[in-house]
Amino acid sequence: MYAATTDQVIGVRSLDATTDKLQAPGEPFAIKALHFLRKWRWLVLGFSAVSVLLGLVLTLLATPQYTATTNLEIRRESFRITGTKDVEPDTQAFDSEFYQTQYGLLRTRALSEAVARNLRLENDRKFFEGYGEKFIVDKMKLGGLQATSASARSERARVAGQVLLKRIVVTPTRASRLVSVSFVSPDPVFSQRVANAWSKVFIESTLERKFDATSYARRFLEDRLEQLRKRLEESERLLVSYASQQGIINLPVPMAGGEGATVDKPIVAENLEVLNRELSSAIADRVKTQSRLANEGGSTAEALDNTGISTLRTRRAEIAADYSKMLTQFEPQYAPARGLQAQIEQLDRAIAREEGRVTRSIRDNYTAAMARENALKQQVASLKTGLLDVRTRSIQYNIYQREVDTNRQLYDGLLQRYKEIGIAGGVGVNNVSIVDAADLPARPSSPKLLTNLALALLIGIALGSAVALILDQIDESVSDPRSIEKLFGTPLLGIIPKVDGENPRDELRDRKSTLVEAYLSAQSSLGFTTSHGAPKSLAVTSTSAAEGKSTSSFALASMLARSGKRVILIDGDMRSPSVHHLAECRNEVGLSNYLAGNDKLSELIQKDAVDDISVMTAGPLPPNAAELLSGGRLSQLVSELLQQFDHVVIDIPPVMGLADAPLIARAVESVVFVIQSHSTRISGARVAIQRLRDANANIVGTLLTKFQVEKAHYGAGYEYGYGYGQTTTAENRV
């Protein structure tokens, strides 16, 4: 005999009903999803069909829209025609911040209003009528000063710009400098005009911003130049005035390596420099003359270099040679020898005279050099004193001079920058250019029928799936037979399919029907619940009414009777009896009579009423059925009947809301709990089962009735009728 332990029951009750009923161990997620879609396919298909139909209607009713597109190239740096740098600082060529700024500028309110003015839309009444601006149209119809004033035109331009801005689309091309500017409207010509005007005005506004930036810089530099000019003139006047007062005269002197640059030098310094060079030359001459004077005599360099002395010396050498040759033959007193001696002496005197003259000339030159040197030294000393005085007086002069130089450099630098900005601002080179102008759209860009239908289909499927998921999550009914044991802690005895018609008796009489196959399978499973086979006394109940418990009790009794057992079926539902309808017998006397004290079972039992089954109906409706069941008469009845029958099957009332079922359940050996698939709430069934367990009822298993394969999450494998009767039984399923 099967009995669930308390731990199992508590564990089962702690499971989440909604989650457990959807889980099938070992099933892949894809298969679960397919079963889910199969269960809710009509709901999803319905949403999809409605969505597609709605999309078709909206598409056919929508106004055709035409899109005109202009392609622009935005370069990071503009071309430099003048060779001068721009006012803005240079940055990296691939600067995302720069391009994001440009894309933002393409969608500014000021640009849209400028385009509206460029196209004269502020005076176009049809434009405002076409885009539903009735307030503006009414004002324009009134006319008068209110409609023609500058403020009114400005307001209309603002509204027109807002209308244009809502329909402009800026699309950058990834990893490039290209950007597309598109405009959408019902008029293809107007779309083309706006797209081209938008690009043109954007280029003009870019140039205007650049010119405005240089214009501000020019005004600033003009003010600074005027200030520096005044400061330069004042400093120059101070310099000239001080130089005149102090008698400071400076001469422009070329700078060494200055490429034509000059520097002012005092005239005293210039004179001192010249005289100092002359003094150096005089000293050199005096030293040279002094060295010549120190070498007096015939061996001096001047004597050797003198042509006359050299001639005399040559002549004397020749005569001296002749005299020496003559002495080798004659005596010195020889007359020719004395003549030669006299010539030699005469030449020596002439040489001495010439050498004396040279020496005197050198001495005179030395004296003149000394005098010149002394005179120059006196002049240089005087100029040095004057230069020191000039330098003392030039300290303030240099201060004035430096101020003049500084002011001139600042003035020249700003003047040059002013000229560069003026040239750069006037050239007008732009870094934005039109690559492709907008063409006239040949066909509408929207609505796109196929795209809209596909989108509507996806939306319908998504909405249908979402609704199905919500409904499935809040659905607490049992749809998967494999979850029975996990949900309730009871084994599944059988799966009973749903059949057509209110009375399943005809289906039970057909031994080839699916209903008979199902109950035979349940009866076979019931035979394994106890050690002696099927329970001797058996009660069949459910959570609530109309779940198939009466049919199941009648069918189980029939299946047991067909196996050759003596079976009696008791209608224990004295509040709403139904067994007599199934057995097609009278309900004049029955269980209520026995419980009330009638011990004559032969009067209460209808022998072999149907299919070899004995039946005890519910009998007359008692005032209080619970009071009759609370005594020991029911247990006594079961004991007496088991002496005559092999099995006692009792159809008892539903558990919820009544006390009858627990009272009857504790009087029998086993209880079979019936659950209607796709209907019974899991939470209600759990409470009912727990009530029976609290009454010490032995629940041996569960029957899942009115099962529909097409509604099940995991329907495959739950079909009966293998072999004969398969076609017939399949047609009987609901």
Side-chain angles (χ1 to χ4, degrees), residues 53-72:
L53 181 61
L54 184 61
L56 177 62
V57 172
L58 293 177
T59 301
L60 295 178
L61 295 179
T63 303
Q65 301 292 322
Y66 294 86
T67 302
T69 303
T70 301
N71 293 321
L72 299 177

Side-chain angles (χ1 to χ4, degrees), residues 464-580:
S465 300
V467 173
L469 183 62
I470 294 173
L471 293 177
D472 197 74
Q473 290 298 313
I474 63 177
D475 180 18
E476 272 198 291
S477 62
V478 179
S479 57
D480 180 19
R482 285 175 291 183
S483 63
I484 293 292
E485 186 171 356
K486 187 176 182 180
L487 289 172
F488 308 110
T490 59
L492 179 64
L493 297 178
I495 303 170
I496 311 303
K498 184 178 181 179
V499 295
D500 292 331
E502 296 181 357
N503 190 355
R505 181 174 175 177
D506 296 336
E507 190 79 12
L508 290 174
R509 288 177 176 175
D510 183 4
R511 299 197 176 189
K512 297 181 181 180
S513 68
T514 57
L515 197 62
V516 172
E517 293 286 346
Y519 278 113
L520 280 175
S521 176
Q523 185 254 335
S524 300
S525 300
L526 195 62
F528 297 100
T529 57
T530 66
S531 59
H532 54 271
K536 297 297 183 178
S537 58
L538 176 68
V540 180
T541 186
S542 62
T543 305
S544 57
E547 293 189 34
K549 65 177 181 59
S550 298
T551 302
S552 297
S553 60
F554 179 79
L556 289 176
S558 298
M559 298 305 112
L560 290 172
R562 290 178 184 178
S563 63
K565 304 292 184 181
R566 295 173 299 167
V567 181
I568 183 171
L569 174 62
I570 302 175
D571 191 349
D573 190 354
M574 293 178 288
R575 301 175 187 271
S576 179
S578 60
V579 170
H580 63 283

Side-chain angles (χ1 to χ4, degrees), residues 77-376:
E77 296 178 349
S78 60
F79 295 117
R80 295 174 180 171
I81 304 299
T82 61
T84 59
K85 291 187 177 180
D86 295 332
V87 177
E88 297 181 358
D90 294 336
T91 55
Q92 295 294 330
F94 299 99
D95 189 352
S96 60
E97 182 180 355
F98 166 79
Y99 286 104
Q100 292 301 324
T101 302
Q102 297 299 310
Y103 304 150
L105 291 174
L106 280 167
R107 292 189 53 81
T108 56
R109 178 178 55 83
L111 181 61
S112 63
E113 293 180 9
V115 173
R117 292 190 181 93
N118 182 271
L119 297 175
R120 302 182 183 276
L121 298 179
E122 70 274 15
N123 299 322
D124 190 349
R125 184 186 300 178
K126 293 183 179 179
F127 169 77
F128 291 106
E129 290 177 349
Y131 288 99
E133 299 293 338
K134 296 182 179 179
F135 181 73
I136 300 296
V137 173
D138 293 340
K139 283 188 174 182
M140 295 179 71
K141 287 181 179 179
L142 293 175
L145 182 62
Q146 186 178 3
T148 58
S149 62
S151 60
R153 290 196 301 272
S154 177
E155 181 184 3
R156 292 198 298 269
R158 179 181 59 81
V159 175
Q162 292 176 353
V163 172
L164 297 180
L165 191 58
K166 291 178 182 178
R167 290 159 178 80
I168 201 71
V169 179
V170 177
T171 308
T173 302
R174 186 176 180 84
S176 73
R177 296 181 297 186
L178 299 178
V179 58
S180 300
V181 179
S182 304
F183 185 79
V184 183
S185 75
D187 186 0
V189 177
F190 184 70
S191 296
Q192 181 188 26
R193 289 178 58 202
V194 173
N196 288 329
W198 202 280
S199 303
K200 177 183 176 182
V201 174
F202 177 68
I203 293 175
E204 292 175 353
S205 64
T206 302
L207 287 173
E208 185 177 355
R209 284 195 304 273
K210 186 174 181 181
F211 184 80
D212 289 342
T214 58
S215 176
Y216 174 80
R218 284 197 302 272
R219 290 194 300 269
F220 173 76
L221 291 179
E222 286 173 357
D223 295 339
R224 292 293 297 164
L225 282 171
E226 181 63 21
Q227 297 175 11
L228 288 175
R229 185 185 63 79
K230 293 179 179 179
R231 288 174 56 183
L232 179 59
E233 291 177 356
E234 181 64 24
S235 60
E236 286 179 343
R237 280 194 295 268
L238 290 174
L239 178 64
V240 173
S241 176
Y242 183 80
S244 299
Q245 293 175 4
Q246 299 298 326
I248 300 174
I249 301 175
N250 293 332
L251 297 176
V253 179
M255 295 179 61
E259 297 182 358
T262 61
V263 62
D264 290 342
K265 181 180 290 186
I267 191 171
V268 177
E270 183 68 21
N271 293 337
L272 178 60
E273 184 177 353
V274 174
L275 288 179
N276 195 43
R277 287 197 298 269
E278 291 295 330
L279 177 59
S280 299
S281 177
I283 292 173
D285 291 342
R286 190 263 304 167
V287 172
K288 181 179 179 182
T289 305
Q290 187 177 2
S291 64
R292 290 166 59 191
L293 185 60
N295 295 324
E296 294 182 355
S299 61
T300 60
E302 286 75 6
L304 293 174
D305 294 337
N306 190 283
T307 306
I309 295 175
S310 298
T311 303
L312 291 175
R313 289 183 184 277
T314 302
R315 180 60 182 163
R316 183 185 180 283
E318 292 175 352
I319 295 173
D322 291 341
Y323 179 71
S324 297
K325 182 177 179 182
M326 189 174 288
L327 287 179
T328 58
Q329 297 178 1
F330 302 100
E331 291 292 332
Q333 290 79 18
Y334 182 63
R338 286 198 299 271
L340 291 175
Q341 181 65 35
Q343 291 181 6
I344 291 173
E345 292 175 356
Q346 186 180 0
L347 288 172
D348 287 339
R349 287 191 294 270
I351 288 172
R353 285 194 302 272
E354 287 296 327
E355 288 179 350
R357 188 179 60 79
V358 171
T359 300
R360 286 192 301 272
S361 175
I362 293 173
R363 187 177 290 109
D364 293 340
N365 290 339
Y366 174 73
T367 302
M370 282 294 295
R372 182 170 177 268
E373 180 183 351
N374 292 332
L376 289 173

